[in-house]
Amino acid sequence: MLDGKKSLFSGMQATGTITLGNYLGALKNWVEIEDEYMCFYGVVDMHSITVRQDPKLLRKNARNLLMLYIAAGLDPEKNCIYYQSHVSAHAELGWILNCFTYMGEMNRMTQFKDKAAKHADNINCGLFTYPILMAADILLFQSDVVPVGIDQRQHLEICRDIAIRFNNIYGDVFTIPEAYVGKTGAKIMSLQEPTKKMSKSDTNPNAHILLLDEPAVIMKKFKRAVTDSEGRIAYNEDQPGIHNLIDIYCATTKSSVESALAEFDGLGYGALKQRVGEAVVAELEPVQKKFYDLSKNKDYIDQIIKNNGEKAAYYAGKTLRKVQRKVGFPDRIR
Ligand code: TYM
């Protein structure tokens, strides 16, 4: 809760163009809850440097991501859209929470294990303590809910554990957040290996749809999507490729699985892929158009970055000062 209104934080990494998975699992849901909560959406560039980045590219990707948030429908007047690195309270609370988190807890994080395996040459401490910075992001804004895809659930659990531990020692400091995972689209899979999560870091470009892929590219990628040899459209775990296409369709069009199955009745796999591809193109075309319009409007975007950065710093600063007092840091002299 902030100023008597329910609040939330969520964010995305600024490492390359986001995927259809990021969009359906998170961003599309964000747009739907903007009236219910005081919303803070970070472009989490501080998280991004846990993996080596080209500085120029990181800056460009961060700005593009911020514009994509708006292009996808987030109203920057209602939602505080900002760069995490512009609000130093993230790092400051992150440090304090480091001292309230156990090595054993971090050792259990599956995402760390996956990323450490992928980046064996750079297993840095930031990668290890990443979930603690994430907890700081969430707790700074006294978030009631955190809208994310399923892959972030474990990080949400640890955030809750840290917050509860802190509250048990110091009283009611943090709101304990709940994960908010959408009914469909919470885990969109790779188009090439449908038992694996769709991820922008996948080296096979046919495995993912990127939000700025052109319509012809999107259609081609769906055409190449891996299915199976069953030859029937059903929604079950034994047909992960078809299951994923149906999930994408339902999350995109907001249909139920039942009505999608009725619509696809009697279709072959080729026609199914065509339908799903067309639905995704129809969904993303207006987002892309708005994105390119926004790209031409430098001053408008700069203003949003400045104003929202200040707003985020104001609310984050309030929580941080409360925490600093609780742990015993001396008061500032004014
Ligand atoms: P990131 O950047 O990997 O993903 C951003 C959001 O997209 C969701 N997502 C997916 N949903 C469905 N299917 C997929 N294939 C898929 N891939 C990604 C993620 O669940 C996420 O909601 N650590 C976070 C960023 C972060 C954060 C936070 C999130 C930093 N601080 C605080 C919430 C609260 C991450 O790397 O997300």
Side-chain angles (χ1 to χ4, degrees):
M1 291 276 258
L2 282 178
D3 289 352
K5 199 168 178 197
K6 281 189 180 171
S7 59
L8 69 81
F9 176 93
S10 198
M12 288 192 187
Q13 293 222 44
T15 45
T17 308
I18 55 170
T19 69
L20 185 64
N22 297 126
Y23 177 77
L24 295 177
L27 192 46
K28 192 170 157 73
N29 295 332
W30 296 358
V31 177
E32 284 162 18
I33 47 179
E34 66 181 16
D35 291 323
E36 226 177 301
Y37 295 88
M38 192 191 262
C39 303
F40 294 84
Y41 293 114
V43 169
V44 294
D45 45 0
M46 288 165 68
H47 280 89
S48 302
I49 62 163
T50 51
V51 172
R52 286 281 176 272
Q53 303 291 333
D54 171 337
K56 266 198 201 128
L57 209 56
L58 178 59
R59 244 189 300 280
K60 178 170 170 252
N61 286 333
R63 194 170 172 101
N64 282 354
L65 181 55
L66 188 124
M67 290 193 291
L68 274 173
Y69 282 0
I70 303 168
L74 287 180
D75 177 348
E77 300 290 326
K78 285 190 191 161
N79 301 277
C80 187
I81 297 169
Y82 71 102
Y83 292 135
Q84 183 189 30
S85 62
H86 284 191
V87 178
S88 56
H90 286 272
E92 292 179 76
L93 182 61
W95 171 253
I96 295 173
L97 297 182
N98 255 278
C99 304
F100 291 85
T101 311
Y102 300 113
M103 299 281 287
E105 290 175 309
M106 292 295 98
N107 268 326
R108 292 203 315 266
M109 297 292 112
T110 52
Q111 200 152 323
F112 168 71
K113 290 179 198 159
D114 293 348
K115 287 205 175 171
K118 263 194 205 156
H119 303 278
D121 55 333
N122 180 22
I123 305 176
N124 60 71
C125 294
L127 198 60
F128 187 63
T129 58
Y130 179 113
I132 307 176
L133 181 58
M134 211 175 132
D137 302 341
I138 295 165
L139 300 177
L140 274 176
F141 298 100
Q142 304 291 355
S143 304
D144 294 275
V145 297
V146 183
V148 283
I150 279 178
D151 62 333
Q152 296 300 320
R153 256 196 199 282
Q154 195 184 31
H155 291 161
L156 252 291
E157 282 306 314
I158 199 75
C159 169
R160 286 168 57 88
D161 290 348
I162 297 170
I164 291 169
R165 178 173 307 142
F166 197 92
N167 283 358
N168 281 341
I169 303 172
Y170 298 107
D172 234 0
V173 179
F174 295 124
T175 303
I176 308 301
E178 300 274 350
Y180 170 93
V181 177
K183 281 198 191 73
T184 50
K187 193 168 187 191
I188 299 299
M189 310 308 266
S190 154
L191 295 183
Q192 290 299 312
E193 285 173 79
T195 50
K196 244 178 62 183
K197 184 183 82 164
M198 182 182 285
S199 162
K200 55 172 128 54
S201 60
D202 202 314
T203 48
N204 180 352
N206 287 320
H208 48 53
I209 304 289
L210 300 180
L211 238 62
L212 295 174
D213 278 348
E214 286 174 14
V217 174
I218 295 177
M219 293 308 293
K220 199 168 73 192
K221 288 183 179 178
F222 274 109
K223 211 170 178 178
R224 292 185 179 160
V226 167
T227 50
D228 53 59
S229 52
E230 295 274 329
R232 66 189 174 98
I233 298 175
Y235 191 69
N236 62 53
E237 301 298 330
D238 301 332
Q239 292 179 263
I242 300 298
H243 192 286
N244 191 35
L245 290 173
I246 294 172
D247 275 340
I248 291 174
Y249 185 81
C250 289
T252 304
T253 61
K254 295 278 163 196
S255 318
S256 66
V257 171
E258 296 71 39
S259 75
L261 284 174
E263 249 183 81
F264 299 148
D265 190 32
L267 293 188
Y269 285 175
L272 170 71
K273 291 177 184 181
Q274 176 84 15
R275 285 275 192 90
V276 180
E278 281 166 2
V280 170
V281 167
E283 175 82 8
L284 295 187
E285 262 187 330
V287 176
Q288 297 182 350
K289 183 177 177 312
K290 183 144 188 219
F291 171 85
Y292 291 114
D293 286 347
L294 286 169
S295 324
K296 291 180 210 135
N297 207 339
K298 181 175 181 304
D299 292 348
Y300 172 66
I301 298 296
D302 284 350
Q303 203 55 43
I304 289 170
I305 291 170
K306 181 170 181 297
N307 292 347
N308 280 335
E310 285 167 4
K311 181 176 170 189
Y314 169 78
Y315 284 103
K318 272 186 160 183
T319 303
L320 178 65
R321 279 192 295 282
K322 195 169 168 188
V323 172
Q324 288 173 327
R325 196 165 314 117
K326 292 283 184 187
V327 298
F329 293 171
D331 287 335
R332 276 159 220 257
I333 312 292
R334 285 173 208 287

